[in-house]
Amino acid sequence: QVQLVESGGGSVQPGGSLTLSCATSGFPFSTYILYWVRHAPGKGLEWISSIDPDGVTSDYAAVVKGRFTTSRDNADKTLTLQMNSLKPEDTAVYYCARDCNGYSTECSYWGQGTQVTVSS
């Protein structure tokens, strides 16, 4: 079955960096657009980024553009989110997802999430 497993979350000071990974299995990884979505405390789900199947084109929410970079390794079937210049408002549970409806958070498959906390 489809499995998405995030890792790499943790606590970091403002201005710091973290790299999240999403290991996948159970589907032909290289044929799917993949997504990052986050859920901040007290807020709704927020679409963060997407990347096309061959990794050439990625898209970002305005709040993270220029600070976050999504990439993928189709050989290893992994998705990565490099997060730089982190801010306290980036604190959230981060999910990788598949089969999302455009820029929405209506996705068919989700990982379990990984917590990112940005605090001094």
Side-chain angles (χ1 to χ4, degrees):
Q1 73 272 26
V2 175
Q3 289 194 324
L4 306 163
V5 180
E6 301 92 340
S7 62
S11 296
V12 63
Q13 292 187 339
S17 298
L18 278 175
T19 302
L20 305 185
S21 295
C22 175
T24 74
S25 62
F27 66 98
F29 181 85
S30 63
T31 66
Y32 281 89
I33 298 171
L34 295 173
Y35 303 82
W36 288 101
V37 177
R38 69 185 182 187
H39 192 189
K43 297 184 179 180
L45 291 167
E46 180 180 28
W47 173 88
I48 292 299
S49 178
S50 61
I51 188 167
D52 68 349
D54 61 12
V56 172
T57 302
S58 54
D59 203 359
Y60 301 91
V63 293
V64 305
K65 195 168 187 178
R67 300 188 297 121
F68 290 12
T69 302
T70 295
S71 60
R72 63 192 294 162
D73 186 328
N74 283 351
D76 285 345
K77 301 181 181 180
T78 58
L79 178 70
T80 300
L81 183 66
Q82 175 66 44
M83 304 185 296
N84 298 326
S85 302
L86 283 161
K87 305 176 181 180
E89 51 264 42
D90 294 318
T91 294
V93 178
Y94 284 73
Y95 299 91
C96 59
R98 203 198 88 177
D99 295 352
C100 301
N101 185 8
Y103 296 105
S104 80
T105 57
E106 298 173 359
C107 307
S108 298
Y109 296 96
W110 298 83
Q112 85 288 353
T114 187
Q115 176 71 49
V116 171
T117 302
V118 185
S119 174
S120 56

